[in-house]
Structure formats: structure tokens, C-alpha cells
């Protein structure tokens, strides 16, 4: 048990371009995991250790979360570097689902950006305690105090400043540790030699004030500190540390560190904090669902003597077949063990256990609770739970966002069909937000994803990893349909052929679900007196589920539907499951048009940062695209415009914004919500769809 107290499972998450991968590279260097630092967009072309995919190195972004492990002092750290780009949000979700703590990286200049907010929301969803690291302190315009204020205002954290910078921008020399009240310098070519000195005279007063503030904040959480603070007695490091640790784990405070990953300063103080303040696996409450007891929650204990429970949170196609990343929650697993996949009940043998360092593997014989490990040669899907067969427990799955954009794709040569199918099968298994379906009308293969970049990366991977050139159609938005009011139905399905016929009658109503409903469809069975025999009710549900896949307006899925059946009739000879299913489909179609249906479109949250002189043209462009400006903020010669814009209007925006701002404009975009399209747009879309259908029939 003492070993597990020294384990830290942490993730590094942030807005795109805040320096996550650069920070991870430094952590690996200081912990002795690598012996030479590579830059993310380095001249060597090697790229950062954790960006092991060629595409990641070319684009200078992280696409897949990469796992590694290292040792800092006497702490064992399992580390996951996650993507910042919102198109790969599922990578962040799956990492945070299995981590015990996280480092939220913020840019010292840009501060809290739109995706910092997204990542923070994901951390809250899984109750992940975190430290904040303000990076890029050496850049012109950096202002860590302002970033700390944004952390409080925008993300509602209570930041606890633990280190502050000696000199900003190009005068950044080192940091002052407010716990120890020492100045920390990072000497040597790569900042590897740490030197602690007395605080230079010009910073003494500021350090005292900041230390006073730190103690004042912690006095709110501990009576002993509060008493000493009121009596103006000194508070020791030994008194502060356990309280800071406890309240960080309770998500009450966020210890805040500053530094510059690129200039190799401030990383070791952050690593110390990971050991001091983030929880070990045994300090986090992990729960599974007991399948023997009505899915009741059951606590999993970080105890190697208990039955094994692990969660497969990420799949990768490695050189030797499928690699499955598993977080061990309870018990232990050895090479050669038989384990059970709880989703399908299959028992499989563990042929090989490895610990991953980016794309390198280190074989191990066994692993205990709280660890992250990879298994080879095991067929499963992302999110499956494994046990040793002695318990019937599944882990709760992670949150998966709905895809909002789709593309028609096909292999250029018929000979590439096999590889094309292989690639799509693999990617859908690996990434729950990447979906594939076949359009029955056109016979095309459609891929769906979270954004243009998301799908672009997968198309590029099909070409590179499977040698298959791909034809790509125009991107299309994933519209939805919904109804706005209740409508009744009472439909009788009658068909008389030679022999027995078909008969079924269903009555009831359809209505919109409340806007905060989690599911998109709800079936309510209000049948009394056996007017529809029990055995036919599942067939009605099946019919409704099938019909809402394709609405009557533009053939898109209908969302937010509650169907209630409360009447009906059957025939002793002519009724069947099929008859009730067909009756339900027709009943829904009849009622749907009376329920005043509307078309919904994905609205994106857009954040554009442009130099002040381009503010007018930037806002003009957003207005042209049916955007609604939510707010603008000025900062250091730049203006940040936040707006809500329909995704259908955003194709080609990256080229437009660059051309009107001389290449200086940057933007980030993420899915916000579905909203009704304007009436004139709806009428046009319905007209086009009806014409297309009529054409198809002729």
C-alpha cells in the first residue's frame, strides 16, 4: 500500500498552443526519461517525443493522447499528454476519465481561452483535482497575475499562487517559491541544475505580501492556520502543505505555478507540486456498477488482494496488432492471466503486458492497482471493463459528444476497398466520435466527426497508414429535426392478402422532451387493460426508434422525442410483431407533421483573436455568416471576439480570416448547441430535399 501512495496518474491539458507537449518534453528530460530535448516544431524534423505520429510532427499539434511514465524523486508518475484541439476532444475525455489529477496549462499572454474552458469543464465532469501552470512567462505581453484573475473569474477556481516570476518577458530569471520563501534559479544549458538562494532584495517586499495572501487563503480551510494568521504568528511549511494538499484534492483550491517550458524554467517546481499536492490512486474514490445488484454503485479499492477490475480507455493499432490501454482500478493483473470482457462475457488470455513510453514499449510481468498499462492481442472496444471473472462489475463510460460534420468518402481504386474498410473499422473502434454509416439513397459511405480537421486527419491517415487514396465529397453539416408541440396519433394498419392478413392499431401522442433531457428518445407505455398484448409492445418501441432515424422534413434524425402509447387494438389471427412495428412507423409519420417540426443546426462557439485594426472587418465577416457577437475584449493590441455561429456558414473561414488580417488572425471553434434554423432557410432546405426525393423516385 505504501508504494501506491507514491503513484501519480496525471494528464496535461490546455487550449491548443499553450505549450502542453513542450512541457511534457521537459518533464521527460528532467526525470531522465529522455536525454535530449526536441522541439515540437524543431528544425531537426524529429518532433517532440510524445508526438510520435508523422502527422503530429508535420502539423506541430497533438492528435492522439500519448502515455508515458517516469520517476521524479521518489514519486512514480504516469503521464498522459492530451490534444488541445477541440476536434480531438474525446482524447481528453478518455484521459481524464482514468486520471487522478491534472495540470491545466495556461498561456501567460493569452490566459484563459475558449478551449481552456472546455478542458476545465471536462475536468469538473470527472472531479479531477488540478494544478495550474502559467506557461510562456518569457513572451512579450505575459501577465501571470491577470491570468490568475481570469482563472477565478472565467473558470471559478480559487487560485493559490505558489510561485511568482522574477522578471517577466525577456527579463525572466527564475521563480520565487512562496512556501519555502526562497528564490529558485534553473542553471545549465537546459535548466537542469536547480539553485536555491535567498530572495533578492528587490523582490523581498512583494514575496512577503504574496506569502501573506497565501496564508490568508489557507486560513479559510484550517483552524490552526486561521488562529496563527489572526495572531500574526509565522506559519510553517509543514503546517501549510497537508492543508494545501487536502483542499486541492477536495477541488476547493488550485495551486498555481509559473514558468517557461521553452526556456526550461519552473518545471521542476511544478513536478515537486505534482508529488506534494495531487492525489495518489488510493485517495480518489472510484466507483463501478454492480451488475448483480441492479447497477448499484460499488466502491473500488486500490488493493492488490481484491478481484481485478480495469477499464480499457484507449485503443491503438500498433506494429504488433491492437494495443489496449487499461487503467487498473482494483486487484492486479499478470502476464498469462485469464480476464473477462464484461461487455460481451468473453474470457481472454493476457499474452503480453507493457508499459508505454510514447510509441516505445517496456515489457513487464505484472501490475497492481492504480497503474496504467497496455495489453496486446486483446480484442475489445474503447470503454470496455475487464475483470478476473470473480466480480460482475462495469465501470461507468465516458461522455462522448455527438459528431456535427459529415463527408462522403470512397476509395479511388476498387483495389483499395479492403484497406479502406479496414481503416474505417479500426478508426471507429478507436475513436467513439468518429462514426461511419452508409447512405441508403446514394449508396455512399459517410464519415462523421467533430470538425473539418478531425476528418481531414483521418483521411490523411487512411492514405498514409493503409496506402489507400480517397475521393472526398464536400463537407456537410449534421442537421437534426425536432418537433415543437404535442400531436396525437391513432393509426390502424390493415393489409389483406391471401391467407392471414396484417392488423394492428396504435393510439397515443408524441411530444418534445424537455430541453435538459439526457436521452434523445423516450418511450412511455401507458397501455391498460391489455388492448395491445404485452408481447407486441417492444415491437411498437422498435418501430418508433426506427422511424426517428429519418425525419420527414429533410431526412435527418429526429431528436428530443417522447412517444406515449395509451390505446390500440389487435386481432387474434392477423396481429404480429411486424404489424405493430409498421403501424408505429406510420402513426409517427402521420403525427409528426402535425407537431410543427423544425430543423436544428449545430451552432459553434467561435473565438477570434485579431490585431485591433482588423476588428471591424472581423465582426463584419461574422455577421455575414449569421453569427451573433457575444462579447469582445481588448488586450495588448489584440481584440478577442466571441460569437455563436452556425457551423454550416463556417466552411472556408480559416482562409477568409487570414486574408483579411494579413495572416495575423487566429480562431478556435467548438460545438456549443443545436438551435433552430431561420424559417426562410428551413423552407429552402425542405424544398431541395423534396426535389431530390422526387428525382430519386423517377
Amino acid at each position: 500500500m505504501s508504494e501506491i501512495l507514491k503513484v501519480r496518474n496525471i494528464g496535461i491539458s490546455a487550449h491548443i498552443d499553450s505549450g502542453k507537449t513542450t512541457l511534457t518534453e521537459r518533464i521527460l528530460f528532467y526525470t531522465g526519461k529522455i536525454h535530449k530535448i526536441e522541439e515540437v516544431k524543431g528544425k531537426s524534423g524529429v518532433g517532440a517525443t510524445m508526438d510520435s505520429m508523422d502527422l503530429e510532427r508535420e502539423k506541430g499539434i497533438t492528435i492522439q493522447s500519448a502515455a508515458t511514465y517516469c520517476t521524479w524523486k521518489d514519486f512514480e508518475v504516469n503521464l498522459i499528454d492530451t490534444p488541445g484541439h477541440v476536434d480531438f476532444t474525446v482524447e481528453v475525455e478518455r484521459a481524464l476519465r482514468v486520471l487522478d489529477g491534472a495540470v491545466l496549462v495556461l498561456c501567460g499572454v493569452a490566459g484563459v481561452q475558449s478551449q481552456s474552458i472546455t478542458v476545465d469543464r471536462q475536468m469538473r465532469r470527472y472531479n479531477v483535482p488540478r494544478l495550474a501552470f502559467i506557461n510562456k512567462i518569457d513572451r512579450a505581453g505575459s501577465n501571470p497575475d491577470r491570468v490568475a484573475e481570469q482563472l477565478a473569474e472565467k473558470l471559478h477556481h480559487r487560485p493559490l499562487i505558489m510561485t511568482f516570476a522574477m522578471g517577466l518577458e525577456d527579463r525572466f530569471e527564475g521563480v520565487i517559491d512562496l512556501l519555502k520563501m526562497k528564490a529558485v534559479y534553473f542553471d545549465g544549458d537546459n535548466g537542469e541544475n536547480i539553485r536555491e538562494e535567498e530572495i533578492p532584495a528587490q523582490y523581498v517586499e512583494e514575496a512577503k505580501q504574496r506569502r501573506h495572501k497565501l496564508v490568508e487563503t489557507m486560513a479559510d480551510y484550517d483552524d490552526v492556520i486561521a488562529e496563527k494568521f489572526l495572531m500574526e504568528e509565522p506559519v510553517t511549511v509543514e503546517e501549510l502543505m497537508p492543508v494545501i494538499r487536502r483542499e486541492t484534492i477536495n477541488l476547493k483550491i488550485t495551486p498555481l505555478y509559473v514558468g517557461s517550458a521553452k526556456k526550461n524554467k519552473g518545471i521542476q517546481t511544478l513536478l515537486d507540486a505534482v508529488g506534494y499536492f495531487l492525489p495518489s490512486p488510493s485517495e480518489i474514490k472510484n466507483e463501478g456498477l454492480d451488475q448483480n445488484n441492479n447497477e448499484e454503485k460499488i466502491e473500488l479499492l486500490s488493493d492488490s488482494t481484491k478481484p481485478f477490475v480495469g477499464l480499457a480507455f484507449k485503443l491503438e493499432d500498433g506494429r504488433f496488432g491492437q494495443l489496449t490501454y487499461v487503467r487498473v482500478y482494483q486487484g492486479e493483473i499478470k502476464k498469462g492471466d485469464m480476464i473477462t470482457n464484461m461487455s460481451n462475457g468473453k474470457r481472454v488470455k493476457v499474452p503480453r503486458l507493457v508499459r508505454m513510453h510514447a510509441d516505445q514499449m517496456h515489457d513487464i510481468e505484472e501490475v497492481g492497482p492504480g497503474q496504467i498499462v497496455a495489453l496486446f492481442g486483446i480484442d475489445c472496444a474503447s470503454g470496455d471493463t475487464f475483470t478476473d471473472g470473480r466480480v460482475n462489475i462495469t465501470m461507468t463510460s465516458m461522455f462522448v459528444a455527438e459528431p456535427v460534420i459529415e463527408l462522403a468518402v470512397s476509395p479511388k481504386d476498387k483495389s483499395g476497398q479492403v484497406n479502406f474498410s479496414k481503416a474505417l473499422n479500426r478508426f471507429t473502434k478507436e475513436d467513439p466520435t468518429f462514426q461511419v454509416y452508409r447512405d441508403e439513397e446514394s449508396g455512399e459511405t459517410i464519415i462523421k466527426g467533430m470538425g473539418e480537421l478531425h476528418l481531414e486527419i483521418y483521411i490523411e491517415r487512411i492514405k498514409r497508414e493503409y496506402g489507400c487514396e480517397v475521393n472526398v465529397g464536400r463537407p456537410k453539416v449534421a442537421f437534426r429535426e425536432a418537433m415543437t408541440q404535442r400531436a396525437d396519433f391513432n393509426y390502424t394498419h390493415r393489409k389483406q392478402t391471401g391467407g392471414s392478413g396484417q392488423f394492428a392499431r396504435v393510439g397515443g401522442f408524441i411530444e418534445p422532451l424537455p430541453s435538459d433531457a439526457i436521452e434523445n428518445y423516450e418511450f412511455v407505455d401507458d397501455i391498460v387493460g391489455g388492448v395491445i398484448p404485452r408481447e407486441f409492445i417492444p415491437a411498437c418501441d422498435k418501430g418508433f426508434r426506427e422511424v426517428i432515424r429519418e425525419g420527414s422534413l429533410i431526412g435527418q434524425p429526429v431528436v428530443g422525442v417522447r412517444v406515449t402509447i395509451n390505446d390500440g387494438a389487435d386481432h387474434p389471427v392477423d396481429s404480429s410483431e411486424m404489424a405493430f412495428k409498421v403501424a408505429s412507423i406510420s402513426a409517427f409519420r402521420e403525427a409528426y407533421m402535425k407537431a410543427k417540426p423544425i430543423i436544428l443546426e449545430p451552432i459553434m462557439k467561435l473565438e477570434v483573436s485579431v490585431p485591433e485594426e482588423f476588428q471591424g472587418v472581423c465582426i463584419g465577416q461574422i455577421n455575414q455568416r449569421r453569427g451573433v457577437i457575444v462579447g469582445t475584449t481588448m488586450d495588448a493590441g489584440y481584440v478577442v471576439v466571441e460569437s455563436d455561429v452556425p457551423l454550416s456558414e463556417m466552411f472556408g473561414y480559416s482562409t477568409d480570416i487570414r486574408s483579411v488580417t494579413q495572416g495575423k488572425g487566429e480562431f478556435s471553434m467548438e460545438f456549443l448547441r443545436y438551435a433552430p434554423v431561420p424559417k426562410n432557410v428551413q423552407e429552402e432546405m425542405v424544398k431541395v430535399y423534396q426535389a431530390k426525393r422526387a428525382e430519386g423516385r423517377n
Side-chain angles (χ1 to χ4, degrees), residues 408-410 437-446:
V409 288
S410 60
Y437 75 98
R438 187 179 163 77
D439 185 331
E440 293 305 328
E441 270 184 35
S442 62
E444 293 173 316
T445 301
I446 309 286

Side-chain angles (χ1 to χ4, degrees), residues 304-493:
S304 51
T305 61
K306 297 271 181 206
F308 163 71
V309 179
L311 178 72
F313 66 96
K314 178 174 163 57
L315 310 181
E316 234 174 64
D317 210 33
R319 293 189 294 274
F320 309 106
Q322 183 175 300
L323 190 62
T324 305
Y325 285 85
V326 172
R327 158 77 198 255
V328 181
Y329 282 99
Q330 182 176 283
E332 56 183 18
I333 181 173
K334 294 187 176 74
K335 190 174 158 182
D337 275 358
M338 293 297 288
I339 57 173
T340 304
N341 182 340
M342 299 309 289
S343 67
N344 56 19
K346 281 187 184 165
R347 276 183 77 67
V348 283
K349 189 176 182 178
V350 179
R352 189 175 169 197
L353 267 181
V354 292
R355 295 198 67 178
M356 295 302 294
H357 169 46
D359 58 347
Q360 299 162 23
M361 290 160 238
H362 305 153
D363 277 277
I364 51 171
E365 290 302 310
E366 64 178 298
V367 68
Q371 294 287 4
I372 289 172
V373 65
L375 315 179
F376 260 114
I378 284 185
D379 186 37
C380 68
S382 188
D384 284 356
T385 304
F386 286 100
T387 71
D388 57 9
R390 289 189 286 161
V391 285
N392 192 4
I393 290 174
T394 59
M395 302 293 294
T396 51
S397 60
M398 60 195 178
F399 171 81
V400 177
E402 280 288 307
V404 291
I405 186 168
E406 46 189 59
L407 281 176
V409 288
S410 60
K412 276 192 179 162
D413 297 320
K414 284 274 183 284
S415 57
Q417 187 68 48
V418 174
N419 276 0
F420 179 71
S421 299
K422 262 190 199 164
L424 293 185
N425 279 341
R426 174 189 148 195
F427 296 149
T428 47
K429 230 171 157 188
E430 282 181 14
D431 180 352
T433 57
F434 178 76
Q435 296 173 7
V436 179
Y437 75 98
R438 187 179 163 77
D439 185 331
E440 293 305 328
E441 270 184 35
S442 62
E444 293 173 316
T445 301
I446 309 286
I447 57 173
K448 297 165 82 166
M450 300 306 295
E452 283 183 276
L453 180 68
H454 190 204
L455 297 182
E456 188 187 305
I457 294 287
Y458 277 119
I459 287 161
E460 193 59 39
R461 286 181 67 187
I462 295 171
K463 287 180 193 168
R464 293 185 186 201
E465 295 171 33
Y466 288 87
C468 171
E469 288 292 326
V470 180
N471 293 322
V472 181
R474 286 185 53 137
K476 281 201 310 221
V477 170
F479 289 100
R480 298 277 183 270
E481 295 184 27
M483 49 206 183
T484 54
Q485 64 183 46
R486 173 182 156 149
D488 296 327
F489 58 80
N490 185 359
Y491 187 85
T492 306
H493 171 65

